[in-house]
Amino acid sequence: MDTEAPVERLPARAAWEETGTVVVPGVLEPDRFKALVEEAHGRLDLVTPHVHEHTAAHRDGSFASPVHCGFIPPGPVLEALAYDKTLLMTLREATGIPRLIPRGGAVVLYKEGDFQGLHTDSVKSTVTVAFALTEDLPPMGWAPELMGAFPDRLGEVVTEHGIFPEGEGYTSLSHPYGDGSVRAFAGYHVPHWRRALTLPMGMLVTMSFMDL
């Protein structure tokens, strides 16, 4: 896999327009981050498995390939962050999308061996916002050259390169951990994936924002 895309060196709005992703600093206070970590660990018994073995195009235009992970439903701390007005205004400014509205969030739980094959998020995720709740979570795969590709084209990629594509045009994106920043990316428009986790456990907050 290529080295990680140097998107952070671009101004925020230019980075979004050119690459479909931007790191937004200074939006997550240390106490709030700590509370999110504690809340997620306290809700591990509520995890819902997210497992399927098929490759398919969905009616909303999104695309899926095999996945094995889990989702922890949001508690009050994450709910408050997902609908935080200050975060929303910051994201609108950083992405240049003035009509974003929040659609909620969850914690993705990866156990050792869990993965997500190449996919795009729901149409409700014009902007997906994510950050790690566990240290050393490996980066996800990222294919900006396939931005806006039709599901048929993504099906061809899976057939030719598998659900974890490598080579020219495929790169990776890391997720912030505990530094007050979050990563915003065009989850519906840019295909991404996560290789099988080699750590005992990883947790990632994910929140969706839709362009009206």
Short mmCIF file of all heavy atoms in Angstrom, two decimals, residues 84-145:
data_model
loop_
_atom_site.label_atom_id
_atom_site.label_comp_id
_atom_site.label_asym_id
_atom_site.label_seq_id
_atom_site.Cartn_x
_atom_site.Cartn_y
_atom_site.Cartn_z
N ASP A 84 -23.62 18.15 18.37
CA ASP A 84 -23.03 19.36 18.92
C ASP A 84 -23.02 20.47 17.86
O ASP A 84 -22.50 20.29 16.76
CB ASP A 84 -21.59 19.06 19.39
CG ASP A 84 -20.96 20.25 20.07
OD1 ASP A 84 -20.43 21.13 19.37
OD2 ASP A 84 -21.00 20.29 21.31
N LYS A 85 -23.59 21.62 18.19
CA LYS A 85 -23.72 22.70 17.21
C LYS A 85 -22.38 23.31 16.84
O LYS A 85 -22.15 23.69 15.68
CB LYS A 85 -24.67 23.78 17.76
CG LYS A 85 -26.12 23.32 17.85
CD LYS A 85 -27.02 24.45 18.32
CE LYS A 85 -28.48 24.01 18.37
NZ LYS A 85 -29.37 25.10 18.85
N THR A 86 -21.47 23.39 17.81
CA THR A 86 -20.15 23.95 17.51
C THR A 86 -19.39 23.05 16.56
O THR A 86 -18.75 23.53 15.60
CB THR A 86 -19.35 24.14 18.81
OG1 THR A 86 -20.04 25.04 19.68
CG2 THR A 86 -17.97 24.72 18.51
N LEU A 87 -19.44 21.73 16.79
CA LEU A 87 -18.80 20.79 15.88
C LEU A 87 -19.42 20.92 14.48
O LEU A 87 -18.69 20.93 13.47
CB LEU A 87 -18.95 19.36 16.39
CG LEU A 87 -18.45 18.25 15.45
CD1 LEU A 87 -16.96 18.41 15.19
CD2 LEU A 87 -18.77 16.87 16.02
N LEU A 88 -20.73 21.01 14.40
CA LEU A 88 -21.40 21.11 13.11
C LEU A 88 -20.93 22.35 12.35
O LEU A 88 -20.61 22.28 11.15
CB LEU A 88 -22.91 21.16 13.31
CG LEU A 88 -23.74 21.36 12.04
CD1 LEU A 88 -23.54 20.21 11.06
CD2 LEU A 88 -25.23 21.50 12.39
N MET A 89 -20.87 23.49 13.01
CA MET A 89 -20.46 24.71 12.34
C MET A 89 -19.00 24.61 11.88
O MET A 89 -18.64 25.09 10.80
CB MET A 89 -20.65 25.91 13.27
CG MET A 89 -22.10 26.17 13.65
SD MET A 89 -23.21 26.34 12.22
CE MET A 89 -22.57 27.85 11.50
N THR A 90 -18.17 23.97 12.69
CA THR A 90 -16.76 23.80 12.32
C THR A 90 -16.63 22.91 11.10
O THR A 90 -15.82 23.18 10.20
CB THR A 90 -15.99 23.20 13.50
OG1 THR A 90 -16.11 24.06 14.65
CG2 THR A 90 -14.51 23.06 13.16
N LEU A 91 -17.42 21.85 11.04
CA LEU A 91 -17.38 20.95 9.89
C LEU A 91 -17.89 21.65 8.63
O LEU A 91 -17.35 21.44 7.53
CB LEU A 91 -18.20 19.70 10.17
CG LEU A 91 -17.64 18.75 11.22
CD1 LEU A 91 -18.67 17.66 11.54
CD2 LEU A 91 -16.35 18.11 10.73
N ARG A 92 -18.93 22.44 8.75
CA ARG A 92 -19.43 23.18 7.59
C ARG A 92 -18.35 24.09 7.03
O ARG A 92 -18.17 24.20 5.80
CB ARG A 92 -20.66 24.00 7.99
CG ARG A 92 -21.92 23.18 8.23
CD ARG A 92 -23.06 24.05 8.73
NE ARG A 92 -24.32 23.33 8.81
CZ ARG A 92 -25.44 23.83 9.30
NH1 ARG A 92 -25.45 25.09 9.77
NH2 ARG A 92 -26.55 23.12 9.33
N GLU A 93 -17.62 24.75 7.90
CA GLU A 93 -16.55 25.64 7.46
C GLU A 93 -15.39 24.85 6.85
O GLU A 93 -14.84 25.23 5.81
CB GLU A 93 -16.05 26.46 8.65
CG GLU A 93 -14.87 27.36 8.33
CD GLU A 93 -15.20 28.45 7.31
OE1 GLU A 93 -16.38 28.83 7.21
OE2 GLU A 93 -14.26 28.93 6.64
N ALA A 94 -15.02 23.75 7.48
CA ALA A 94 -13.86 22.98 7.02
C ALA A 94 -14.10 22.32 5.67
O ALA A 94 -13.16 22.15 4.88
CB ALA A 94 -13.49 21.93 8.06
N THR A 95 -15.34 21.91 5.40
CA THR A 95 -15.64 21.21 4.16
C THR A 95 -16.22 22.12 3.09
O THR A 95 -16.26 21.73 1.91
CB THR A 95 -16.65 20.07 4.41
OG1 THR A 95 -17.88 20.63 4.90
CG2 THR A 95 -16.10 19.07 5.42
N GLY A 96 -16.67 23.30 3.48
CA GLY A 96 -17.32 24.18 2.52
C GLY A 96 -18.70 23.72 2.14
O GLY A 96 -19.22 24.09 1.08
N ILE A 97 -19.34 22.91 3.00
CA ILE A 97 -20.69 22.41 2.74
C ILE A 97 -21.62 23.06 3.77
O ILE A 97 -21.72 22.57 4.91
CB ILE A 97 -20.76 20.88 2.84
CG1 ILE A 97 -19.74 20.25 1.89
CG2 ILE A 97 -22.17 20.38 2.49
CD1 ILE A 97 -19.64 18.73 2.02
N PRO A 98 -22.31 24.14 3.43
CA PRO A 98 -23.05 24.92 4.43
C PRO A 98 -24.34 24.29 4.91
O PRO A 98 -24.90 24.73 5.91
CB PRO A 98 -23.31 26.24 3.70
CG PRO A 98 -23.38 25.85 2.25
CD PRO A 98 -22.37 24.76 2.09
N ARG A 99 -24.84 23.25 4.20
CA ARG A 99 -26.14 22.68 4.56
C ARG A 99 -26.02 21.31 5.22
O ARG A 99 -26.96 20.52 5.23
CB ARG A 99 -27.02 22.58 3.31
CG ARG A 99 -27.48 23.94 2.79
CD ARG A 99 -27.95 23.89 1.35
NE ARG A 99 -29.03 22.95 1.16
CZ ARG A 99 -30.32 23.24 1.28
NH1 ARG A 99 -30.68 24.47 1.61
NH2 ARG A 99 -31.25 22.33 1.07
N LEU A 100 -24.86 21.01 5.79
CA LEU A 100 -24.70 19.75 6.51
C LEU A 100 -25.66 19.68 7.69
O LEU A 100 -25.88 20.67 8.39
CB LEU A 100 -23.27 19.61 7.04
CG LEU A 100 -22.17 19.16 6.09
CD1 LEU A 100 -20.86 19.07 6.86
CD2 LEU A 100 -22.49 17.82 5.43
N ILE A 101 -26.20 18.47 7.91
CA ILE A 101 -26.98 18.22 9.12
C ILE A 101 -26.49 16.91 9.74
O ILE A 101 -26.07 15.99 9.03
CB ILE A 101 -28.49 18.13 8.83
CG1 ILE A 101 -28.80 17.00 7.84
CG2 ILE A 101 -29.03 19.46 8.35
CD1 ILE A 101 -30.27 16.68 7.74
N PRO A 102 -26.51 16.78 11.07
CA PRO A 102 -26.03 15.55 11.71
C PRO A 102 -27.04 14.42 11.59
O PRO A 102 -28.26 14.64 11.61
CB PRO A 102 -25.86 15.97 13.17
CG PRO A 102 -26.80 17.12 13.36
CD PRO A 102 -26.87 17.83 12.04
N ARG A 103 -26.52 13.19 11.48
CA ARG A 103 -27.36 12.00 11.36
C ARG A 103 -27.07 10.98 12.46
O ARG A 103 -27.58 9.86 12.42
CB ARG A 103 -27.16 11.35 10.00
CG ARG A 103 -27.47 12.24 8.81
CD ARG A 103 -28.94 12.54 8.68
NE ARG A 103 -29.73 11.32 8.55
CZ ARG A 103 -31.04 11.28 8.32
NH1 ARG A 103 -31.71 12.42 8.24
NH2 ARG A 103 -31.68 10.14 8.20
N GLY A 104 -26.27 11.35 13.45
CA GLY A 104 -26.00 10.44 14.55
C GLY A 104 -24.65 9.76 14.42
O GLY A 104 -23.89 9.98 13.48
N GLY A 105 -24.35 8.90 15.40
CA GLY A 105 -23.06 8.23 15.41
C GLY A 105 -23.11 6.91 16.16
O GLY A 105 -24.14 6.52 16.72
N ALA A 106 -21.98 6.21 16.15
CA ALA A 106 -21.84 4.93 16.84
C ALA A 106 -20.35 4.69 17.03
O ALA A 106 -19.50 5.46 16.56
CB ALA A 106 -22.47 3.80 16.03
N VAL A 107 -20.03 3.63 17.74
CA VAL A 107 -18.64 3.20 17.89
C VAL A 107 -18.48 1.87 17.15
O VAL A 107 -19.24 0.93 17.40
CB VAL A 107 -18.25 3.03 19.37
CG1 VAL A 107 -16.83 2.49 19.49
CG2 VAL A 107 -18.37 4.36 20.11
N VAL A 108 -17.53 1.84 16.23
CA VAL A 108 -17.23 0.58 15.55
C VAL A 108 -16.23 -0.20 16.40
O VAL A 108 -15.19 0.34 16.78
CB VAL A 108 -16.64 0.83 14.15
CG1 VAL A 108 -16.50 -0.49 13.39
CG2 VAL A 108 -17.50 1.80 13.36
N LEU A 109 -16.57 -1.44 16.68
CA LEU A 109 -15.70 -2.29 17.49
C LEU A 109 -15.05 -3.34 16.60
O LEU A 109 -15.73 -4.09 15.90
CB LEU A 109 -16.52 -3.00 18.58
CG LEU A 109 -15.77 -4.06 19.40
CD1 LEU A 109 -14.69 -3.40 20.26
CD2 LEU A 109 -16.74 -4.85 20.27
N TYR A 110 -13.72 -3.35 16.61
CA TYR A 110 -12.95 -4.36 15.90
C TYR A 110 -12.24 -5.24 16.92
O TYR A 110 -11.53 -4.73 17.79
CB TYR A 110 -11.89 -3.71 15.00
CG TYR A 110 -12.44 -2.85 13.90
CD1 TYR A 110 -12.53 -1.47 14.06
CD2 TYR A 110 -12.86 -3.40 12.69
CE1 TYR A 110 -13.03 -0.66 13.04
CE2 TYR A 110 -13.35 -2.61 11.67
CZ TYR A 110 -13.43 -1.24 11.86
OH TYR A 110 -13.93 -0.45 10.85
N LYS A 111 -12.45 -6.54 16.82
CA LYS A 111 -11.66 -7.48 17.59
C LYS A 111 -10.58 -8.06 16.67
O LYS A 111 -10.64 -7.87 15.45
CB LYS A 111 -12.55 -8.59 18.15
CG LYS A 111 -13.58 -8.08 19.15
CD LYS A 111 -14.42 -9.21 19.73
CE LYS A 111 -15.43 -8.68 20.74
NZ LYS A 111 -16.28 -9.76 21.30
N GLU A 112 -9.62 -8.74 17.23
CA GLU A 112 -8.53 -9.28 16.42
C GLU A 112 -9.09 -10.11 15.27
O GLU A 112 -9.93 -10.98 15.48
CB GLU A 112 -7.59 -10.13 17.27
CG GLU A 112 -6.35 -10.58 16.54
CD GLU A 112 -5.34 -11.26 17.45
OE1 GLU A 112 -5.65 -11.44 18.66
OE2 GLU A 112 -4.25 -11.59 16.98
N GLY A 113 -8.65 -9.81 14.06
CA GLY A 113 -9.14 -10.51 12.88
C GLY A 113 -10.30 -9.83 12.18
O GLY A 113 -10.63 -10.17 11.04
N ASP A 114 -10.96 -8.87 12.84
CA ASP A 114 -12.08 -8.17 12.22
C ASP A 114 -11.59 -7.24 11.11
O ASP A 114 -10.45 -6.74 11.13
CB ASP A 114 -12.84 -7.35 13.25
CG ASP A 114 -13.77 -8.20 14.10
OD1 ASP A 114 -13.90 -9.40 13.83
OD2 ASP A 114 -14.38 -7.65 15.05
N PHE A 115 -12.48 -6.95 10.16
CA PHE A 115 -12.10 -6.16 8.99
C PHE A 115 -13.34 -5.55 8.36
O PHE A 115 -14.48 -5.93 8.66
CB PHE A 115 -11.41 -7.06 7.95
CG PHE A 115 -12.32 -8.15 7.41
CD1 PHE A 115 -13.10 -7.93 6.28
CD2 PHE A 115 -12.40 -9.38 8.06
CE1 PHE A 115 -13.95 -8.93 5.80
CE2 PHE A 115 -13.25 -10.38 7.58
CZ PHE A 115 -14.02 -10.15 6.46
N GLN A 116 -13.12 -4.60 7.45
CA GLN A 116 -14.17 -4.11 6.55
C GLN A 116 -13.57 -4.07 5.15
O GLN A 116 -12.56 -3.40 4.91
CB GLN A 116 -14.65 -2.71 6.94
CG GLN A 116 -15.50 -2.70 8.20
CD GLN A 116 -16.41 -1.48 8.27
OE1 GLN A 116 -17.10 -1.15 7.31
NE2 GLN A 116 -16.42 -0.81 9.41
N GLY A 117 -14.19 -4.80 4.22
CA GLY A 117 -13.74 -4.76 2.85
C GLY A 117 -14.08 -3.45 2.18
O GLY A 117 -14.78 -2.59 2.75
N LEU A 118 -13.59 -3.25 0.98
CA LEU A 118 -13.84 -2.02 0.23
C LEU A 118 -15.34 -1.72 0.21
O LEU A 118 -16.15 -2.58 -0.12
CB LEU A 118 -13.30 -2.18 -1.19
CG LEU A 118 -13.40 -0.94 -2.09
CD1 LEU A 118 -12.17 -0.81 -2.97
CD2 LEU A 118 -14.66 -1.00 -2.95
N HIS A 119 -15.69 -0.49 0.56
CA HIS A 119 -17.08 -0.09 0.62
C HIS A 119 -17.20 1.42 0.56
O HIS A 119 -16.20 2.14 0.69
CB HIS A 119 -17.74 -0.60 1.92
CG HIS A 119 -17.21 0.06 3.15
ND1 HIS A 119 -15.99 -0.29 3.71
CD2 HIS A 119 -17.71 1.05 3.93
CE1 HIS A 119 -15.77 0.45 4.78
NE2 HIS A 119 -16.79 1.28 4.93
N THR A 120 -18.40 1.89 0.37
CA THR A 120 -18.73 3.30 0.58
C THR A 120 -19.85 3.36 1.61
O THR A 120 -20.63 2.43 1.76
CB THR A 120 -19.16 3.99 -0.72
OG1 THR A 120 -20.25 3.28 -1.31
CG2 THR A 120 -18.00 4.06 -1.70
N ASP A 121 -19.92 4.48 2.31
CA ASP A 121 -20.92 4.64 3.36
C ASP A 121 -22.29 4.97 2.76
O ASP A 121 -22.43 5.24 1.57
CB ASP A 121 -20.49 5.73 4.34
CG ASP A 121 -19.21 5.37 5.08
OD1 ASP A 121 -18.89 4.16 5.16
OD2 ASP A 121 -18.54 6.29 5.58
N SER A 122 -23.28 4.97 3.62
CA SER A 122 -24.64 5.33 3.23
C SER A 122 -24.68 6.72 2.60
O SER A 122 -23.85 7.59 2.89
CB SER A 122 -25.55 5.29 4.46
OG SER A 122 -26.74 6.00 4.24
N VAL A 123 -25.68 6.95 1.76
CA VAL A 123 -25.90 8.26 1.17
C VAL A 123 -26.07 9.33 2.24
O VAL A 123 -25.88 10.53 1.98
CB VAL A 123 -27.11 8.23 0.21
CG1 VAL A 123 -28.41 8.05 0.98
CG2 VAL A 123 -27.16 9.47 -0.67
N LYS A 124 -26.42 8.93 3.45
CA LYS A 124 -26.57 9.87 4.55
C LYS A 124 -25.23 10.38 5.07
O LYS A 124 -25.20 11.27 5.91
CB LYS A 124 -27.35 9.21 5.69
CG LYS A 124 -28.78 8.82 5.33
CD LYS A 124 -29.45 8.09 6.47
CE LYS A 124 -30.87 7.65 6.09
NZ LYS A 124 -31.53 6.91 7.19
N SER A 125 -24.13 9.81 4.57
CA SER A 125 -22.79 10.19 5.02
C SER A 125 -22.06 10.99 3.95
O SER A 125 -21.03 10.56 3.44
CB SER A 125 -21.98 8.95 5.41
OG SER A 125 -22.51 8.34 6.55
N THR A 126 -22.60 12.15 3.61
CA THR A 126 -21.86 13.06 2.74
C THR A 126 -20.50 13.34 3.38
O THR A 126 -19.47 13.36 2.70
CB THR A 126 -22.62 14.38 2.55
OG1 THR A 126 -23.95 14.11 2.13
CG2 THR A 126 -21.91 15.27 1.54
N VAL A 127 -20.53 13.56 4.68
CA VAL A 127 -19.30 13.70 5.47
C VAL A 127 -19.35 12.69 6.61
O VAL A 127 -20.30 12.69 7.40
CB VAL A 127 -19.16 15.12 6.05
CG1 VAL A 127 -17.91 15.22 6.92
CG2 VAL A 127 -19.10 16.15 4.92
N THR A 128 -18.37 11.83 6.66
CA THR A 128 -18.21 10.92 7.79
C THR A 128 -17.10 11.49 8.68
O THR A 128 -16.05 11.89 8.18
CB THR A 128 -17.83 9.51 7.33
OG1 THR A 128 -18.83 9.02 6.43
CG2 THR A 128 -17.70 8.55 8.50
N VAL A 129 -17.34 11.52 9.97
CA VAL A 129 -16.35 12.04 10.92
C VAL A 129 -15.93 10.89 11.82
O VAL A 129 -16.79 10.16 12.35
CB VAL A 129 -16.93 13.20 11.75
CG1 VAL A 129 -15.96 13.63 12.84
CG2 VAL A 129 -17.25 14.39 10.83
N ALA A 130 -14.62 10.71 12.00
CA ALA A 130 -14.15 9.57 12.78
C ALA A 130 -12.89 9.94 13.57
O ALA A 130 -12.11 10.80 13.17
CB ALA A 130 -13.86 8.39 11.86
N PHE A 131 -12.73 9.24 14.70
CA PHE A 131 -11.49 9.30 15.47
C PHE A 131 -11.41 8.05 16.32
O PHE A 131 -12.42 7.43 16.66
CB PHE A 131 -11.42 10.57 16.34
CG PHE A 131 -12.56 10.75 17.29
CD1 PHE A 131 -12.50 10.27 18.60
CD2 PHE A 131 -13.72 11.40 16.89
CE1 PHE A 131 -13.55 10.43 19.48
CE2 PHE A 131 -14.78 11.57 17.77
CZ PHE A 131 -14.69 11.09 19.06
N ALA A 132 -10.19 7.64 16.63
CA ALA A 132 -9.97 6.40 17.37
C ALA A 132 -10.17 6.60 18.86
O ALA A 132 -9.83 7.65 19.42
CB ALA A 132 -8.56 5.88 17.10
N LEU A 133 -10.71 5.58 19.50
CA LEU A 133 -10.82 5.55 20.96
C LEU A 133 -9.78 4.63 21.57
O LEU A 133 -9.67 4.53 22.80
CB LEU A 133 -12.22 5.09 21.39
CG LEU A 133 -13.38 6.03 21.09
CD1 LEU A 133 -14.68 5.45 21.63
CD2 LEU A 133 -13.13 7.42 21.68
N THR A 134 -9.04 3.92 20.73
CA THR A 134 -7.96 3.04 21.19
C THR A 134 -6.68 3.44 20.47
O THR A 134 -6.69 3.81 19.29
CB THR A 134 -8.27 1.56 20.91
OG1 THR A 134 -8.65 1.41 19.54
CG2 THR A 134 -9.40 1.07 21.80
N GLU A 135 -5.59 3.34 21.18
CA GLU A 135 -4.29 3.75 20.63
C GLU A 135 -3.80 2.75 19.59
O GLU A 135 -4.11 1.56 19.65
CB GLU A 135 -3.27 3.86 21.76
CG GLU A 135 -2.04 4.65 21.43
CD GLU A 135 -1.17 4.93 22.64
OE1 GLU A 135 -1.49 4.40 23.72
OE2 GLU A 135 -0.20 5.70 22.50
N ASP A 136 -3.06 3.27 18.60
CA ASP A 136 -2.40 2.43 17.57
C ASP A 136 -3.38 1.74 16.64
O ASP A 136 -3.03 0.71 16.04
CB ASP A 136 -1.49 1.39 18.23
CG ASP A 136 -0.38 2.02 19.05
OD1 ASP A 136 0.10 3.09 18.66
OD2 ASP A 136 0.00 1.45 20.09
N LEU A 137 -4.60 2.27 16.48
CA LEU A 137 -5.50 1.69 15.48
C LEU A 137 -4.88 1.91 14.10
O LEU A 137 -4.57 3.04 13.72
CB LEU A 137 -6.86 2.37 15.55
CG LEU A 137 -7.93 1.81 14.61
CD1 LEU A 137 -8.35 0.41 15.06
CD2 LEU A 137 -9.14 2.74 14.56
N PRO A 138 -4.67 0.84 13.32
CA PRO A 138 -4.04 1.00 12.01
C PRO A 138 -4.89 1.87 11.08
O PRO A 138 -6.10 1.98 11.24
CB PRO A 138 -3.96 -0.45 11.48
CG PRO A 138 -4.00 -1.31 12.69
CD PRO A 138 -4.91 -0.59 13.66
N PRO A 139 -4.25 2.49 10.10
CA PRO A 139 -5.00 3.33 9.16
C PRO A 139 -5.93 2.51 8.29
O PRO A 139 -5.77 1.29 8.14
CB PRO A 139 -3.90 3.99 8.31
CG PRO A 139 -2.74 3.05 8.41
CD PRO A 139 -2.80 2.46 9.78
N MET A 140 -6.89 3.18 7.72
CA MET A 140 -7.80 2.51 6.79
C MET A 140 -7.31 2.72 5.36
O MET A 140 -6.62 3.70 5.05
CB MET A 140 -9.23 3.02 6.94
CG MET A 140 -9.47 4.42 6.45
SD MET A 140 -11.21 4.91 6.64
CE MET A 140 -11.20 6.51 5.82
N GLY A 141 -7.67 1.80 4.46
CA GLY A 141 -7.38 1.99 3.05
C GLY A 141 -8.27 3.06 2.45
O GLY A 141 -9.40 3.27 2.91
N TRP A 142 -7.78 3.72 1.42
CA TRP A 142 -8.45 4.91 0.90
C TRP A 142 -8.17 5.02 -0.60
O TRP A 142 -7.02 4.89 -1.02
CB TRP A 142 -7.92 6.11 1.66
CG TRP A 142 -8.43 7.47 1.29
CD1 TRP A 142 -7.75 8.47 0.67
CD2 TRP A 142 -9.73 8.01 1.56
NE1 TRP A 142 -8.53 9.59 0.55
CE2 TRP A 142 -9.75 9.33 1.08
CE3 TRP A 142 -10.88 7.49 2.16
CZ2 TRP A 142 -10.87 10.14 1.18
CZ3 TRP A 142 -12.00 8.29 2.27
CH2 TRP A 142 -12.00 9.61 1.79
N ALA A 143 -9.21 5.23 -1.41
CA ALA A 143 -9.06 5.26 -2.86
C ALA A 143 -9.63 6.53 -3.46
O ALA A 143 -10.71 6.52 -4.07
CB ALA A 143 -9.72 4.03 -3.48
N PRO A 144 -8.95 7.68 -3.30
CA PRO A 144 -9.50 8.94 -3.82
C PRO A 144 -9.65 8.95 -5.33
O PRO A 144 -10.48 9.69 -5.86
CB PRO A 144 -8.47 9.98 -3.35
CG PRO A 144 -7.22 9.22 -3.10
CD PRO A 144 -7.66 7.87 -2.62
N GLU A 145 -8.86 8.14 -6.05
CA GLU A 145 -9.00 8.10 -7.50
C GLU A 145 -10.31 7.45 -7.94
O GLU A 145 -10.70 7.56 -9.11
CB GLU A 145 -7.80 7.38 -8.13
CG GLU A 145 -6.50 8.17 -8.02
CD GLU A 145 -5.41 7.63 -8.90
OE1 GLU A 145 -5.67 6.69 -9.67
OE2 GLU A 145 -4.29 8.14 -8.82
#
